[in-house]
Each structure stands twice: as structure tokens, then as C-alpha cells.
Amino acid sequence: MAHYYQPDIETMPREELRALQLERMRESMRNAYENVGVFRERFDAAGVTPEDLTCLEDLARFPFVVKQDMRDAYPFGMFARPNAEVARIHASSGTTGQATVVGHTAADLANWADCFARGIAMVGGSADSTIQVSYGYGLFTGGLGAHAGGEAMGCTVIPTSSGNTKRQVQMMRDLGTDILACTPSYALLIADTAIELGYDPATEFPISAVICGAEPASQNMKDEIAEKLGVQYCDVYGLSEIMGPGVAMECAEGGGIHVAEDQFYCEVVDPETLEVLPDGQWGELVITTLARECCPLVRYRTRDVTRIVDEPCACGRTHRKIDYLRGRTDDMLIIRGVNVFPSQIEQVITEFPEIAAQYQIILTSNGPLDRVELQVETVPDFPFDEVRKLEDLKRRLAAELKGNLQVAVEIKIVEPKTIERSMGKAKRVVDLREGTNR
Amino acid sequence: MISQLSVFLANERGRLAAACRALADAGFNMHSLVLADTADFGVARIFCDRPEEAAALLAEAGYRAAVTPVIAVRVPNAPGGLATLLEFCDGAGMNVEYGYCYSVGPDTAVDVLKIEGEGAEAKLAEGGFDLVEADEIYAV
């Protein structure tokens, strides 16, 4: 028996949902056009007004916005509401440039909490559940987003934030955490720390689910987390420009992540031509907000690579899924002219049980050529005393990577803990190439 | 079987020194150390007192360290001591993964071998070789 948080919305018949989307999209566009300068300029330049939207497909006639537009509008240029109506401000991590600031009205925050609470229901959570939020709290949307979702559901919320991993394990055990919300790399670190402390969290801890997002994770890494903690893995998608975690969440059926389609309209476009692609084709995800009051966005290019999965889901939810993210168009590494996503490398690594999950990619210049070094660690019980076995492992891993990426990768096996364990977003790629400014 | 302490080390300046210092500070006396090195990493193979404890100490300090069972054979410190042993292994179908030797005084040498598969110790004993016991090398 499936369990919903807002059954009327989550299982709304498709036609009804599409009608709701169109109605809300028009309203959201008016809000953007009338109150945000950049949208008025762009719409006028493109010769379109919100009145031109007669069906959802008409959206393709409207211009895109990108992250740079939000940076240029710093701090309040994207706000459609006066300060008196703004309840909270979040900002992106700014790791790739000027921070982007996003405002939320009280209604925006309530909608966000509802979106995340739907995911809590997807992992079987209820008011009776205890949710431990080990995302960082602060300007980053992870902590407070998951926190509000837990409160909306009526859960007991433990706001541990990230860090102090041994205490995280102790809280998880002593307070009987049912659901852990954090980045996947941190979930793995917590699991490994629990195991190092002598516990078997899969059997000894009551935890039954993790809700993980904010950084890419391969299927193997998700499986490893699910196995070590003995939990259902729920992939949560979100981005601070759009809202935060909860834009899309994964139900127990898997096969992708359900977009909160009453709140967001998704298109997938070809990142080169910007043409809208048919369902099922991989491309860049473009999101239009349908109910955001303070910072409405029309056709925001997320840079995230996915596809729309338009198949009915056995869980009963009618909201369509997007596929698990394959990477970001701007995380994409161009190595010797070949497009490589770090997630592809991670996928290969996790197919080698001899190799631990942590890794780092070091890019350097070797004259005109790019040199790629992949640093990995063996698992503790690997027979590393035999040089031959280590060399053989390197050879097999290099061959597998070459086959998958079409790029030669040098493998370096390093001592444990050489690769920094992450408490937030893992730094997987160190680009030291000349002429790059990553 | 002898418990050899095996330590994986990055082939970088100071790593071996740091590992040795960690053992020294914890009072572990070493009786032999052999280094297998490649361009980017090395493996230190060590006989020391209380090898299980030493491995746990190093692992706790962030090293990749483990105890590996190896065979130690006492041979005459004379031409052919090692050759005879290896020929026997070859003849008995035993594949030697790696080995190293050290002299003990003017008359004796110890040959240390890691041999693939099971039963090597029994075969060597049957073949008349003098196997060294762990407590003859280090404090157990």
C-alpha cells in the first residue's frame, strides 16, 4: 500500500495535472514579466508576452535564463517581491564564481517543505519517524530544506548538520534515527565510520532510509550505502536557484526521480542547439517554476544532464520522473578532446571490489597533451604485499577506464586517507592543466 | 608460518621513515625489513615483535598495514643454500610469489618465501627443510 503525503496532488490524473501546470505557468510568467527586469527585457526582445502561452508546449518560444543572469542580478535583481514579503534568503555555494542569491516567501518555504515531505513519504516515513539532517545548515539549501520537510511531515528532526562524524553515528544509534538526509559521500563516510567503530548499522541500527542528494553518485555507490546501512536509498534532486532539495525525489520503485510537477515544469534540451528534445532523450534539464513567488524562473538551464522518463510508476504517483543525473554540462571534462563525466569514472571504480569508494582525478598538462591520473585506494583486505597483484589491479582498472572513456588514464594507488574524506561536496577533480581556470 | 608485517607506502620522501618512527615510538623492535619498490609505491615487508599489534597500530595511524603469513626456512650459509630450496619448490610445483633472505651469523641464513596456495609448509617439512618458528625470530 503506497503511502503519500499529499495524495490529491501526487496522484492527480495527468490531464488535470497538465491543466494545473498551464494555469500556474501563466501566473508564474506574469509574475516574472511584471516584477523581474531581466524577464521583461528578454521577453520583449524575443517578442513574447505571458499571454502567448496557450499550451505547455508554447513554452519553447520563450527565452532561457542561465546562472550568469542570476549572478548579474546580484543581489536582488531576480526578486519579484519586496523585502517585506521575503522570509528567507539562501545562496549557492559560489564554488564556480559569484554567489547567487535566492529569496523565498513564506509560501515558497511552505511549498518547499511539502515537496521534501513527499519524499519522506516515499521512503515510508511519517510523523512517527525520526529524521537526522546531516546536510550542512546555512546558506546551502540542504540542511534547512530537509529540516523543513521533516517538520512538515511532523517527524522528529535531529539537526546534526555535517561534521563530527563519530557523534553522528552515536546520535543515529542512541536516538533511533529512521531516516538520514545528507550528501551521498557523507552517508558513506557515516556508514564506514559506524563500521570502524565496531557496529553493523544494517542490523544494529533502526535506520530504514537515506535521502541523499546535492552531488552525483553512481548506482554502485548508492547500492553500497544502501547495503552498509541496510536502507532504502532515495535520490533527491534540487538546486538552490530553483528551490533546494525536493524538486524531484525517488520512490521505492526506483527507475528515476519523480519531479514535483505541480511546482515545476521540466524540459530537456540539446545543450548545443537548445532545441527541446523528445521524452527519453538525454540532454540538459531546463526548469520553469510554477508556484515560486519571490524568485520565479522561466526556462532556467540547470546544466544537469538527464532525460524525461514518461512511464507510469507502480507507486501510483502520476508525476513524471527524470532519470538519475548523468553529470553536469559544466562538470564535463574535456580530456584530449573527449567529453568525460566524473560519474563515468566513478561507475567504473565501483565495479572493482578491490578498490575503495574514495577517488580523485588529477588533470595535468604533459606538453600539449592532457595527462589524467586517477588516485585510488585498495580496500583494507586486499593482498597488497604482492606487487604483482597491485600492478595487475592497476592494469585492469586502466584497461576498463580506457574502454569506457576512450581516454588513457594513469592509475596511482595511494595510501589510505590520502584522498580527503568529504563532509560536504566531494572534490573529485583537481584540474592543474595549463590554460584552465577551474 | 611466520607473521610478516606488510606496509603499503607511497613512494615519496619520508614515508618509510614515518612508518619506522611510528613503530619505534610504540616500542616495536624490528628484526628485518625488505622493501619492494615501484615508481609510485613501495611495500615494506617487516619482521618485528608482536606483528598483529604492530599492524593494528599502523592501520590506526592511517597506514595500509596488514599481517601476511610467510614461510621461513633455515639453510646453510654456503653456496647453494637458497638454490636447493628453490629447486625443491619448483620440483614440488610450488609457485613462489616473492622471497628474500638474510644471514644469521657465519653458518646460517634464513630464506623467507611467500608461496601461492596451501600446504607448502608441510611439503617443505617432508622434504627435510628446517622451518623457523615464529618465536625464534620475534617476540610473539
Side-chain angles (χ1 to χ4, degrees), chain A residues 28-94:
Chain A
S28 185
M29 269 197 181
R30 275 189 212 112
N31 183 25
Y33 185 69
E34 286 163 16
N35 299 309
V36 182
V38 64
F39 284 114
R40 176 169 288 267
E41 288 161 27
R42 294 280 169 83
F43 286 16
D44 287 349
V48 289
T49 71
E51 313 314 316
D52 292 327
L53 189 81
T54 58
C55 64
L56 290 169
E57 285 67 29
D58 282 341
L59 184 60
R61 297 171 55 194
F62 287 78
F64 295 98
V65 285
V66 296
K67 184 147 179 164
Q68 189 59 44
D69 295 320
M70 302 183 76
R71 291 195 190 109
D72 293 345
Y74 179 88
F76 300 124
M78 300 298 284
F79 283 32
R81 288 290 182 275
N83 195 49
E85 290 177 41
V86 180
R88 195 197 294 163
I89 284 174
H90 277 283
S92 76
S93 46

Side-chain angles (χ1 to χ4, degrees), chain A residues 374-430:
Chain A
L374 175 68
Q375 297 190 346
V376 293
E377 298 168 11
T378 63
V379 293
D381 57 1
F382 184 81
F384 62 84
D385 64 303
E386 295 179 28
V387 174
R388 186 170 66 109
K389 293 214 167 94
L390 288 165
E391 296 287 3
D392 176 61
L393 177 62
K394 282 171 66 170
R395 224 173 2 254
R396 283 186 292 120
L397 183 57
E400 192 66 26
L401 284 166
K402 179 86 177 61
N404 272 273
L405 311 176
Q406 312 305 321
V407 169
V409 176
E410 291 174 35
I411 310 296
K412 183 170 185 183
I413 299 177
V414 297
E415 291 181 35
K417 314 275 161 97
T418 303
I419 302 164
E420 196 184 332
R421 262 50 173 177
S422 129
M423 295 204 183
K425 290 198 180 194
K427 177 118 179 103
R428 295 304 195 193
V429 180
V430 179

